[in-house]
Amino acid sequence: MSVQLAMLVATAVLAVVAVVAAVVTVRSVRELRRIGDRVARDEGAAYRDHLEDSHDLDAPPRSSAALDHRVEPVPTAEVVRVVEGRVIVQPTHDQVVAATMTRPSVRLNILLGGVAHALRPESRDRILGLMRREYRARRRARQRAARAAARATNGPPPASGGQGWVGS
């Protein structure tokens, strides 16, 4: 198997992984949006029901002082309903996100997204540059250590017959 063929196969595998990661990510985002829309719709309905229960909309206000001191109700964080004798509590947005982010498929998508980011040309070039600099710095450090060790063990050459170092 030639090097070019191996590179072609590796590139094809990486492309397939990137496409699968993109598809799974898009599906997850659509699911989260659908869940978010449903939660917002349910919270809005619960808020309207709460408003209708707390205010009699058909009755006119008693005085202007009653209008000034009207307190807007705060929407509840949890929507509690009783359906056929069963208590159903709508999960909060934080609970939905926490449950979704701990799923293995989402964690795998996050990992694949990081790998895809690392394989982009700009990230890949930056990483290769960092590795090249680190490799060269370590090689220079090894060469300095080898020269220092050679100087420590060999010492200067003996001066024989008046022939010393050039220029000394």
Side-chain angles (χ1 to χ4, degrees), residues 162-168:
Q163 292 181 0
W165 292 95
V166 176
S168 60

Side-chain angles (χ1 to χ4, degrees), residues 15-31 109 112:
V16 168
V17 167
V19 168
V20 168
V23 168
V24 171
T25 303
V26 168
R27 288 184 63 200
S28 298
V29 167
R30 284 182 183 164
E31 183 180 347
N109 286 336
L112 291 177

